[in-house]
Amino acid sequence: MFDRSFLPDSDLEFTVIADTHYMLDPGDSPIEFESRRHQTRRSKATLEMLHSLGTDINIHLGDLTQEYPESPNFLRALAKAQEQISNTGVQFRHCVGNHDIGDKLDPTMPTHPVTSESLAAYEDRFGSTFYSFDAGTHHFVVINSQILNTDLPINNGQMDWLARDLESSSGQRICLFLHLPLYLFKKSDPAFGNYDVIAEPARGELIALIEKHGIELVCAAHVHFSFFDRIGGADYHILPSPAFTRPGFSHLFTSAPPPEHGRNDTPKLAFYLYRSGSGYLDRHIVRTSGRSRKPSGRRVITRTARSLPEARLGITLTHPPAPVVQIPLAYPSTIRQTVRNDYPILACQEMGLRHIRVPIEDIEDDNQNPRLQILRESGALLTAICVSRDPATIGRRVRDIEDQIDSIEMQVPKTQKMKAKIDTSLEVSVAPIDPTEPVAGKQHLRTRLGFPVSRANAAHPFHRSVVSIAHWESPNLIQTIAKSPPDKPVDLTLSMVDDDKENLDRVIRAALLTACIDEARLFCEPSLDLDRTMYGAKGFLDPLCNPRPIVTAYRLLNTILFANLHVWTLTCMHPLTIVSPAHELSLSSKAADGARFFDLVEGTSHESASEVAGNPVLREISSR
């Protein structure tokens, strides 16, 4: 079911899944949300995917059933959930959730708090709710977040045990798992009346332990949405569910609501695969998308930015990287929650993008820059776009942030003479601003940011040239640069149009052609849909921050082209074909010996092109 052929070797693989919410069959009875009828099938399909991955460890972060302990059908649902897991052959290390034993101690919560009785019933089936184990160089710690801050004697026992366990694990790579998040937006998130976070003093005690013991990874669940942060040196990941999304968090997006008021936003359903080696712990987002059937072909697991040091595909973050939003007062919380939309940056990580282009204002923003720095820590390089009347002023502006970016793109009026030097040690790209481009059917002239392809070899004193492929131009123009490279390296910018199918063709062709130009980088834009501007353009993400088809295509191409140190050469434009000493890639579905075919929409590999119907196909032939 999965194709790992492009991945580097790892010492350990483990999956983390959360909130599967097994649903007893309601039959023809009325039901609050129709999507609940699909939860069990969605969970089953996800469990089968986990089993086919065959990882060393599988960790379930809790909420096995839709029922909860005080409901009359809870024990029956729990038994059925266990049976479903057993039938798929997956062996889990379990972390207890609030639907498994009861909720945290807060009288505003809609479900009862955990009791000694509910805790004992769970332990009879699954064993202790806090424990640890070793695997390779890693030490895994699982705790019970629902008993924190309670008067239950086991709460003090857990915290005492945790401190001792972490102390005795010095020198190991430690991963911590719990169901309830420590926080969503920041460490001082209010907790009383907030359904989604752990209250003080337990939150502060756990954060102190995470920082003191150099924990590498913290995984939480419960909210059915993806969030992330850094706690000391730890990657703090809050996982989605493969069953359904929580409605309230859809207020993160400037869009119409997803189906069922946000409860059935299926493109966000997923689990995580982690792969560990010397000095790294990579996360791979495996989207399940609510599917309950096995897809044809093998799903390709692509590389992260860290393991693609030679990759040259990138994106322009045209929209704010991480907008901050207040979720309105709405059940089940009784306070307004402040949250951050992490999906744009998660998409960059999912695609393994090595190059990120942002306005310099994002680097200067105290809310946006920390998220961008997390991208850098995971292997991405940041190019800061500086729009200026006078190039000489840019050096002064970047002086205080030079250690937070990797290169500069200087955008200056076309009429500005480009003789000034910039006082910086960073690499500088230059992009003239030309507001005089006539476009058929448009009343006003349009603005080009960068040189046209015909002037890719324009003379200037800086390191790189920005060459733009506007939305009214074909990406095939890049072939002229591939055939006759300019004196200076180029940063190609590719604008999208308002059609998914055409954008797929644009991105695929631009990526393949860019790979044939030494040192060239490709930045595609917009990152999210432009649906209320002077011209419409579909981006990598739609207004709900769900991936458009180009996300999968770009993700695959980024790995296929750059996972190994290939030097690509353009040999044919119809069909577009590029070759390296050992490989041939072609936008052709014609059968050939030793060929493998990639469905660039589904993200799957196939032995026969006949298995791919209607989607763009990339044919790979090895050992030419």
Side-chain angles (χ1 to χ4, degrees), residues 61-273:
L61 293 181
D63 281 8
L64 294 169
T65 75
Q66 185 63 39
E67 303 291 335
Y68 44 90
E70 61 262 36
S71 60
N73 291 319
F74 171 70
L75 291 179
R76 185 164 69 93
L78 186 58
K80 295 291 288 184
Q82 288 181 275
E83 180 183 341
Q84 183 186 67
I85 292 170
S86 177
N87 288 343
T88 56
V90 182
Q91 300 292 320
F92 276 119
R93 304 278 188 157
H94 286 278
C95 176
V96 67
N98 58 302
H99 273 249
D100 304 320
I101 58 168
D103 224 320
K104 66 174 185 173
L105 186 62
D106 184 333
T108 71
M109 293 301 103
T111 53
H112 295 175
V114 58
T115 64
S116 297
E117 292 74 20
S118 63
L119 188 59
Y122 180 90
E123 289 177 333
D124 284 345
R125 288 175 178 265
F126 298 97
S128 177
T129 58
F130 55 90
Y131 59 95
S132 64
F133 61 95
D134 293 330
T137 59
H138 287 273
H139 183 65
F140 293 84
V141 183
V142 178
I143 65 171
N144 180 342
S145 58
Q146 286 75 251
I147 62 173
L148 296 171
N149 298 313
T150 69
D151 293 330
L152 295 170
I154 196 172
N155 177 34
N156 291 332
Q158 174 176 244
M159 293 305 293
D160 291 343
W161 167 85
L162 179 60
R164 292 194 307 271
D165 184 82
L166 293 175
E167 199 68 48
S168 66
S169 304
S170 177
Q172 292 181 275
R173 301 173 65 180
I174 305 173
C175 302
L176 175 66
F177 304 89
L178 68 168
H179 182 73
L180 292 175
L182 293 159
Y183 61 91
L184 296 184
F185 178 57
K186 57 184 179 179
K187 296 173 184 176
S188 59
D189 279 358
F192 183 72
N194 186 338
Y195 182 64
D196 296 310
V197 298
I198 293 169
E200 295 290 358
R203 180 197 300 174
E205 293 169 359
L206 288 173
I207 289 173
L209 288 171
I210 291 166
E211 295 174 340
K212 175 183 177 181
H213 294 285
I215 290 178
E216 184 173 3
L217 174 68
V218 178
C219 286
H222 185 64
V223 297
H224 297 221
F225 261 65
S226 295
F227 297 100
F228 70 90
D229 202 9
R230 295 279 289 177
I231 302 176
D235 284 318
Y236 173 40
H237 295 162
I238 301 174
L239 273 75
S241 162
F244 62 93
T245 45
R246 287 263 307 280
F249 291 109
S250 295
H251 286 284
L252 278 168
F253 312 115
T254 55
S255 66
E260 294 187 339
H261 306 289
R263 195 183 186 277
N264 199 28
D265 192 359
T266 55
K268 292 186 174 66
L269 306 183
F271 66 90
Y272 291 172
L273 165 67

Side-chain angles (χ1 to χ4, degrees), residues 420-549:
K421 296 289 185 181
I422 294 179
D423 183 18
T424 179
S425 60
L426 297 173
E427 188 176 62
V428 179
S429 305
V430 63
I433 303 172
D434 181 2
T436 65
E437 289 267 356
V439 178
K442 302 296 183 183
Q443 176 185 358
H444 297 288
L445 297 173
R446 289 302 189 249
T447 302
R448 182 188 294 275
L449 300 174
F451 295 101
V453 169
S454 60
R455 296 195 61 225
N457 207 20
H460 59 78
F462 303 102
H463 301 92
R464 305 177 69 92
S465 301
V466 177
V467 177
S468 68
I469 311 298
H471 65 272
W472 59 86
E473 296 175 315
S474 167
N476 288 344
L477 289 172
I478 301 172
Q479 70 174 298
T480 63
I481 303 176
K483 292 177 178 178
S484 181
D487 296 335
K488 294 179 183 289
V490 295
D491 285 343
L492 296 159
T493 64
L494 179 74
S495 295
M496 299 293 109
V497 298
D498 200 20
D499 180 87
D500 279 333
K501 185 176 181 180
E502 187 174 346
N503 283 337
L504 265 173
D505 183 72
R506 292 176 70 79
V507 164
I508 293 166
R509 290 180 175 276
L512 292 172
L513 291 169
T514 299
C516 299
I517 307 170
D518 189 37
E519 296 187 72
R521 304 184 297 197
L522 174 65
F523 295 94
C524 296
E525 57 188 56
S527 48
L528 276 75
D529 285 8
L530 290 173
D531 58 4
R532 55 207 77 181
T533 58
M534 289 293 288
Y535 72 95
K538 289 183 167 59
F540 282 79
L541 304 180
D542 68 16
L544 284 166
C545 284
N546 289 325
R548 291 200 174 277

Side-chain angles (χ1 to χ4, degrees), residues 329-347:
L329 288 170
Y331 177 89
S333 292
T334 56
I335 65 169
R336 187 181 292 151
Q337 298 167 277
T338 301
V339 289
R340 181 176 41 240
N341 179 3
D342 283 330
Y343 281 93
I345 290 182
L346 283 166

